[in-house]
Amino acid sequence: MIFNSMGVMYIEKGDYTIAEKFLKIAEQHSSWLSVDQKQKLDNNLGVLYLYKGNHDESQKYFTNASKQSNYIPAQENLKRLEEIKQSGKK
């Protein structure tokens, strides 16, 4: 799960281009992940796309993360995304 962790680190640094590269590598190997790890990865991709202003991609990943077993962080992020969409912010 090192690629997911590296992606999160770069999100926190504000370097979304590098974060996306790491998270996409993790996604390519997601068949090796447990359900919990996949949910975290999908949620992190959702966060990345939320910060990049890509609400459609963000919603897709948050929805995937919350489907598996009601992953609370993704559900909260979906609510946050909906609030952002309603306010017209990026």
Side-chain angles (χ1 to χ4, degrees), residues 27-44:
E27 185 177 40
Q28 290 172 359
H29 300 287
S30 64
S31 64
W32 303 346
L33 302 177
S34 70
V35 171
D36 289 346
Q37 290 172 323
K38 177 71 170 117
Q39 287 174 306
K40 289 176 185 175
L41 173 60
D42 283 345
N43 188 63
N44 291 337

Side-chain angles (χ1 to χ4, degrees), residues 11 27 38-52 54-82 84-85:
I11 288 172
E27 185 177 40
K38 177 71 170 117
Q39 287 174 306
K40 289 176 185 175
L41 173 60
D42 283 345
N43 188 63
N44 291 337
L45 280 159
V47 169
L48 170 70
Y49 289 118
L50 179 62
Y51 288 163
K52 289 180 77 172
N54 188 336
H55 296 162
D56 292 337
E57 280 296 296
S58 182
Q59 184 170 6
K60 177 180 92 174
Y61 283 106
F62 289 147
T63 300
N64 286 343
S66 65
K67 277 183 189 175
Q68 304 278 335
S69 63
N70 298 322
Y71 186 62
I72 301 297
Q75 291 176 347
E76 291 172 353
N77 285 330
L78 275 170
K79 289 178 189 173
R80 181 173 160 214
L81 176 60
E82 191 56 38
I84 290 169
K85 284 179 167 183

